[in-house]
Amino acid sequence: MKKRNRKVIIIGGGLAGLAAAVRACELNMSVDMISYQPVKRSHSVCAQGGINGAMDTQGEGDSPEVHFYDTVKGGDFLAHQPLVRDMCHQAPAIIHLLDRMGVPFNRTSEGHLQFRRFGGTLFSRTAFAGATTGQQLVYALDEQVRKHESEGTVTKREWHEYLGAVVDDQGICRGATIHDLRTGKIFTLRGDAVILATGGPGNVYSRSTNSTVCTGAATTSAYLQGAKYANGEFIQIHPTAIPGADKLRLMSESARGEGGRIWVPRTPGDSRPPKEIPENERYYFLEENYPLFGNLVPRDVASREIYAVVYEQKMGIAGEAMVYLDLTHHRKEYLEDKLGGILDIYRKFTGQDPSETPMKIFPAVHYSMGGLWVDYEDDGHGMIDQNSVRNQMTSIKGLYAAGEADYQYHGANRLGANSLLSCIYSGLLVGRAAFNYSKSMDVASEDISSSVYEGEETIWNNRFEGMKRMNGKENPYSLHSELGELLLENVLIVRENSKLSSTLEKLEEIESRFKDVKCLDTTHWSNPMPSFINQLRCMIQLSKIITKGALLRNEFRGAHYKPEFDLQQPKNFDPHEYIDYLERTHYEEVNDSDFPEGHLDYMKRFQANNEKWLKTTIAQFKNNGPEITYDEVNTSLITPRPRKYD
Amino acid sequence: MKPISLKIKRQDGPNGRSYWQTFETPYRPFANVISCLQEIQKSPVTREGKKVPPVVWDCNCLEEVCGSCTMLVNGKVRQACTALIDNLEGPLTLEPMSKFPVVRDLQVDRSRMFENLKKTNSWIDIDGTHDIGEGPAIPDQDRATAYVLSECMTCGCCLEACPQFTLDNSFLGAATFSQVRLFNMHPTGATQKEKRLEAVMKEGGITDCGNAQVCVEVCPKKIPLTDSIAEMSRETSLLSIKKIFNS
């Protein structure tokens, strides 16, 4: 019997998509790879600082188990623990793999991998290639995929856009509907499985650190087709970005990993140049408030602190919404070698040299911890069954997601340099899952009736014809800016229920105005406008997921901060007290006097809050909006406890 | 402040004729060419008041690491995202790159560059993605040399500037030569060194380089392209000599 050709369709050519493709090729699948643009230009190139893997090359006592603990704690215990554990244990092998592919990782004097520190950990476990690690990783994987492409196993369709999954009458994904961005032609592809490796949704906020393709349209399209979307309200705000009109450009956490210090003048409104402000007149607020982690507290903590300094204490530089990120104490040569890439970006966009003048930075929307709900199968021993077809599968059978498009690895807040790791880990995992799924299929995709595909093609052709005919008063790009401003103002670092519920109403207004959009370009060749209108339609729906999820979650967890529900951790609280408290409650009555004043009360509040809210948010599309329910989180390995970084 | 004036060379499709349109957008501090094009999208009306389809261009990262938005700004090839209005002489002119087929307006098709990477085996041949241990130890100074070469974003600036590289010839160009040097330098990559050099010795290869040295001047990543070209000349000469002795 002739072996049948197993085909997987991979949407997106960033780190997750490329890793999935390499793994699928290795398993002798044929791959169709769909991307808006040459995959080498994917958003993963913007990742700067590095990739985590605990190898303890500096004898600090680091290990994958410590990495696991840091990641789970950094995510405020909202991540499924076996997945995180498995990822952290595979991290060293992933870094070695990338090294073998030729990534120019910085080296020690002996020529081995060098590691630096990043946020949310006390260990040096971040491997890096200057300050353009993401770019270097994309290139290495892109080269491997190009090799497979030249051998005929990968068919790249660049300048193509994924519109939706082809789902048969049993609810199984059998392929994808694709839009050729040059010819405008809409067609379907058959495949045993479809993998969405389409990245994050930063552009919902209009201005973010994300690239222009990061609209979240593909994942939203899956949600509109019935897939569950999880933890949408958990949006990471990166503490350090360069303010800008078109984009908020990232200043990597590696700047702080290499000793960068955050400060503001002690006297509000002090307008002296930074170099003229003496040490004792500078307020290094992260170092003062968090003596243990200092400038390397996790991102959610750092962003909240910067916000408080600027808006509550009114101490922003010269009264403006900015703080200093200072590297001027380092030698110029040192900075160029370790951080050259990001210093160049700062120089090019501000005209100032960070080795001479402290950088002015402010927090910006950066990453979505949430994404499409995907499944996994643990092996019963706190790790993942690598061969399960369930790994990374969305709630639509045959439709997978990986990378930032999924939701699993970072809980309520992602640690720096864990994103490149989760992209590649989940990419490799999903490649194998898709292969095993293909082997297990009862009906092969080539035996599915062509009417299933034709039906889907007709739906999308009609939809696009309709969008091309839209002839109202609203400019779609202006409406997108308004959507972004609305979210930036109301669904960012500090969240209040009154603002969130009015935002939800305003989103309905924006949605009704969307119906009055004008398609300004009705030509048939390389016309981005109908695509953008479709993406805007998705972005509006995704905004509802984020906003409603935020409104309903009445607690403070990780990046989701509602001051009203802050449990007010006592200043001198030690998280071990909570473990002690939990143990004692098993066999005896605990009294106030067993703990420092106020601590027992706090721990009871913490416990009650976790019982209610330590849950995955699940959004499902019902009645033109998200219906929100909550699922259990797998916390079987590390007992959730209060976070503390000072 | 005076509005920003942009004279843009447009073309409706690969076979269409090009034409110029001028747009004006309000001045904003720290504006760059992309943010001006985004303003035009919001109000696509020429200076003469004619409503037209918005200008089409490619961009993605907006921080000069993806290479997408390469075009001619005031006649000079560069990325449009880092082209800050305050640093440019107005009125601005924007044109698509001339050495690649125009798709539409400022969009061009640079797939030739990626094809060249295939022709030259520009990758490291690895045994597989499984856990088979560490990579080779590499001196940090070699890593530093490789890193600079590896920052090439396949943007095409060097080829746009190169007098030897034309729309219809087969010249590989500086970016490709430099990638061959990168992979030949790597301890594992070196196993395929001769295969890559042979690709570079074919028609359109290293001997067609006219040594104009403009590639290195326009590279946004300051990659020492002329050093790479010299190194490729040396390696290919050595291979030729070796072949003579072996034949």
Short mmCIF file of all heavy atoms in Angstrom, two decimals, chain A residues 97-124:
data_model
loop_
_atom_site.label_atom_id
_atom_site.label_comp_id
_atom_site.label_asym_id
_atom_site.label_seq_id
_atom_site.Cartn_x
_atom_site.Cartn_y
_atom_site.Cartn_z
N LEU A 97 19.98 23.04 20.71
CA LEU A 97 19.51 22.85 19.34
C LEU A 97 19.73 24.12 18.52
O LEU A 97 20.27 24.08 17.40
CB LEU A 97 18.03 22.46 19.34
CG LEU A 97 17.29 22.52 18.01
CD1 LEU A 97 17.86 21.51 17.01
CD2 LEU A 97 15.79 22.27 18.20
N LEU A 98 19.33 25.26 19.08
CA LEU A 98 19.48 26.53 18.38
C LEU A 98 20.96 26.83 18.14
O LEU A 98 21.36 27.35 17.11
CB LEU A 98 18.83 27.65 19.17
CG LEU A 98 17.31 27.53 19.30
CD1 LEU A 98 16.79 28.41 20.43
CD2 LEU A 98 16.62 27.90 17.99
N ASP A 99 21.76 26.50 19.13
CA ASP A 99 23.20 26.70 19.01
C ASP A 99 23.76 25.86 17.86
O ASP A 99 24.56 26.33 17.06
CB ASP A 99 23.85 26.31 20.35
CG ASP A 99 25.30 26.71 20.42
OD1 ASP A 99 25.69 27.69 19.75
OD2 ASP A 99 26.07 26.05 21.15
N ARG A 100 23.28 24.61 17.77
CA ARG A 100 23.74 23.75 16.68
C ARG A 100 23.30 24.29 15.32
O ARG A 100 23.94 24.05 14.30
CB ARG A 100 23.23 22.31 16.89
CG ARG A 100 23.96 21.59 18.03
CD ARG A 100 23.68 20.09 18.02
NE ARG A 100 22.33 19.77 18.42
CZ ARG A 100 21.40 19.24 17.63
NH1 ARG A 100 21.67 18.97 16.37
NH2 ARG A 100 20.20 18.97 18.08
N MET A 101 22.15 24.98 15.32
CA MET A 101 21.68 25.56 14.05
C MET A 101 22.49 26.80 13.65
O MET A 101 22.26 27.38 12.59
CB MET A 101 20.21 25.98 14.19
CG MET A 101 19.24 24.83 14.22
SD MET A 101 17.57 25.47 14.47
CE MET A 101 16.62 23.95 14.46
N GLY A 102 23.37 27.24 14.52
CA GLY A 102 24.25 28.35 14.16
C GLY A 102 23.90 29.70 14.75
O GLY A 102 24.48 30.71 14.33
N VAL A 103 22.98 29.75 15.70
CA VAL A 103 22.67 31.05 16.33
C VAL A 103 23.93 31.59 16.99
O VAL A 103 24.56 30.88 17.79
CB VAL A 103 21.55 30.89 17.39
CG1 VAL A 103 21.36 32.18 18.17
CG2 VAL A 103 20.25 30.46 16.73
N PRO A 104 24.33 32.83 16.67
CA PRO A 104 25.56 33.36 17.27
C PRO A 104 25.35 33.84 18.71
O PRO A 104 25.39 35.03 19.00
CB PRO A 104 25.93 34.52 16.33
CG PRO A 104 24.64 34.95 15.73
CD PRO A 104 23.75 33.74 15.68
N PHE A 105 25.11 32.88 19.59
CA PHE A 105 24.95 33.22 21.01
C PHE A 105 26.27 33.78 21.55
O PHE A 105 27.34 33.28 21.20
CB PHE A 105 24.61 31.95 21.82
CG PHE A 105 23.19 31.49 21.68
CD1 PHE A 105 22.89 30.24 21.13
CD2 PHE A 105 22.13 32.28 22.15
CE1 PHE A 105 21.58 29.80 21.02
CE2 PHE A 105 20.81 31.83 22.04
CZ PHE A 105 20.54 30.59 21.48
N ASN A 106 26.17 34.77 22.42
CA ASN A 106 27.37 35.28 23.09
C ASN A 106 28.04 34.14 23.86
O ASN A 106 27.39 33.24 24.36
CB ASN A 106 27.03 36.43 24.03
CG ASN A 106 26.78 37.72 23.28
OD1 ASN A 106 25.94 37.76 22.39
ND2 ASN A 106 27.52 38.75 23.63
N ARG A 107 29.38 34.24 23.94
CA ARG A 107 30.18 33.14 24.47
C ARG A 107 30.96 33.55 25.70
O ARG A 107 31.27 34.73 25.89
CB ARG A 107 31.19 32.69 23.40
CG ARG A 107 30.57 32.26 22.11
CD ARG A 107 30.10 30.83 22.20
NE ARG A 107 29.08 30.56 21.20
CZ ARG A 107 28.58 29.35 20.99
NH1 ARG A 107 28.99 28.32 21.70
NH2 ARG A 107 27.64 29.18 20.09
N THR A 108 31.38 32.56 26.47
CA THR A 108 32.30 32.79 27.58
C THR A 108 33.71 32.78 27.02
O THR A 108 33.93 32.50 25.84
CB THR A 108 32.20 31.64 28.60
OG1 THR A 108 32.59 30.43 27.93
CG2 THR A 108 30.78 31.48 29.12
N SER A 109 34.69 33.02 27.88
CA SER A 109 36.08 33.04 27.40
C SER A 109 36.50 31.66 26.88
O SER A 109 37.37 31.54 26.04
CB SER A 109 37.02 33.52 28.51
OG SER A 109 36.76 32.79 29.69
N GLU A 110 35.85 30.61 27.39
CA GLU A 110 36.20 29.27 26.93
C GLU A 110 35.43 28.89 25.66
O GLU A 110 35.63 27.81 25.10
CB GLU A 110 35.89 28.28 28.06
CG GLU A 110 36.70 27.01 28.02
CD GLU A 110 36.32 26.05 29.14
OE1 GLU A 110 36.26 26.50 30.30
OE2 GLU A 110 36.06 24.89 28.84
N GLY A 111 34.51 29.77 25.24
CA GLY A 111 33.77 29.50 24.01
C GLY A 111 32.44 28.81 24.22
O GLY A 111 31.80 28.37 23.27
N HIS A 112 32.00 28.72 25.49
CA HIS A 112 30.69 28.13 25.76
C HIS A 112 29.62 29.21 25.80
O HIS A 112 29.91 30.39 25.74
CB HIS A 112 30.73 27.36 27.08
CG HIS A 112 31.64 26.18 27.05
ND1 HIS A 112 31.50 25.16 26.14
CD2 HIS A 112 32.74 25.87 27.79
CE1 HIS A 112 32.45 24.27 26.33
NE2 HIS A 112 33.23 24.69 27.31
N LEU A 113 28.37 28.76 25.95
CA LEU A 113 27.26 29.72 25.99
C LEU A 113 27.38 30.62 27.22
O LEU A 113 27.67 30.16 28.32
CB LEU A 113 25.93 28.97 26.07
CG LEU A 113 25.58 28.10 24.86
CD1 LEU A 113 24.37 27.23 25.18
CD2 LEU A 113 25.28 28.97 23.65
N GLN A 114 27.11 31.89 26.99
CA GLN A 114 27.10 32.84 28.09
C GLN A 114 25.64 33.12 28.48
O GLN A 114 24.77 33.13 27.63
CB GLN A 114 27.79 34.13 27.64
CG GLN A 114 28.17 35.04 28.77
CD GLN A 114 28.80 36.35 28.30
OE1 GLN A 114 28.49 37.39 28.82
NE2 GLN A 114 29.68 36.28 27.31
N PHE A 115 25.42 33.36 29.77
CA PHE A 115 24.05 33.63 30.24
C PHE A 115 24.03 34.94 31.01
O PHE A 115 25.01 35.31 31.65
CB PHE A 115 23.59 32.49 31.17
CG PHE A 115 23.38 31.20 30.42
CD1 PHE A 115 24.45 30.34 30.17
CD2 PHE A 115 22.12 30.85 29.95
CE1 PHE A 115 24.27 29.16 29.47
CE2 PHE A 115 21.94 29.66 29.25
CZ PHE A 115 23.01 28.82 29.00
N ARG A 116 22.87 35.63 30.93
CA ARG A 116 22.72 36.84 31.74
C ARG A 116 21.43 36.79 32.55
O ARG A 116 20.62 35.90 32.35
CB ARG A 116 22.78 38.09 30.86
CG ARG A 116 21.64 38.27 29.89
CD ARG A 116 21.86 39.61 29.16
NE ARG A 116 21.11 39.74 27.92
CZ ARG A 116 21.56 40.46 26.88
NH1 ARG A 116 22.72 41.03 26.90
NH2 ARG A 116 20.82 40.57 25.80
N ARG A 117 21.27 37.76 33.41
CA ARG A 117 20.08 37.76 34.25
C ARG A 117 18.93 38.44 33.55
O ARG A 117 19.10 39.31 32.70
CB ARG A 117 20.37 38.46 35.57
CG ARG A 117 20.82 37.50 36.65
CD ARG A 117 20.79 38.17 38.01
NE ARG A 117 19.43 38.45 38.45
CZ ARG A 117 19.14 39.28 39.45
NH1 ARG A 117 20.10 39.92 40.08
NH2 ARG A 117 17.88 39.48 39.81
N PHE A 118 17.72 38.05 33.94
CA PHE A 118 16.50 38.66 33.44
C PHE A 118 15.54 38.83 34.61
O PHE A 118 15.86 38.45 35.74
CB PHE A 118 15.88 37.78 32.35
CG PHE A 118 15.86 38.44 31.00
CD1 PHE A 118 17.03 38.70 30.33
CD2 PHE A 118 14.65 38.80 30.41
CE1 PHE A 118 17.01 39.31 29.08
CE2 PHE A 118 14.62 39.41 29.16
CZ PHE A 118 15.80 39.67 28.50
N GLY A 119 14.38 39.38 34.34
CA GLY A 119 13.43 39.70 35.41
C GLY A 119 12.80 38.47 36.04
O GLY A 119 12.66 37.43 35.41
N GLY A 120 12.42 38.61 37.32
CA GLY A 120 11.66 37.58 38.00
C GLY A 120 12.47 36.38 38.43
O GLY A 120 11.92 35.37 38.84
N THR A 121 13.79 36.47 38.35
CA THR A 121 14.64 35.38 38.83
C THR A 121 15.90 35.98 39.42
O THR A 121 16.27 37.12 39.13
CB THR A 121 15.02 34.40 37.70
OG1 THR A 121 15.80 33.36 38.27
CG2 THR A 121 15.82 35.09 36.61
N LEU A 122 16.57 35.18 40.27
CA LEU A 122 17.83 35.63 40.85
C LEU A 122 19.01 34.94 40.17
O LEU A 122 20.14 35.07 40.59
CB LEU A 122 17.84 35.35 42.36
CG LEU A 122 16.76 36.11 43.17
CD1 LEU A 122 16.68 35.60 44.59
CD2 LEU A 122 17.04 37.61 43.16
N PHE A 123 18.71 34.16 39.10
CA PHE A 123 19.76 33.36 38.45
C PHE A 123 20.05 33.85 37.02
O PHE A 123 19.18 34.37 36.35
CB PHE A 123 19.34 31.90 38.41
CG PHE A 123 19.14 31.32 39.79
CD1 PHE A 123 17.89 31.33 40.39
CD2 PHE A 123 20.23 30.81 40.49
CE1 PHE A 123 17.72 30.83 41.66
CE2 PHE A 123 20.05 30.32 41.78
CZ PHE A 123 18.79 30.33 42.36
N SER A 124 21.29 33.60 36.59
CA SER A 124 21.67 33.95 35.21
C SER A 124 21.33 32.76 34.33
O SER A 124 22.10 31.81 34.24
CB SER A 124 23.17 34.22 35.14
OG SER A 124 23.54 35.17 36.11
#
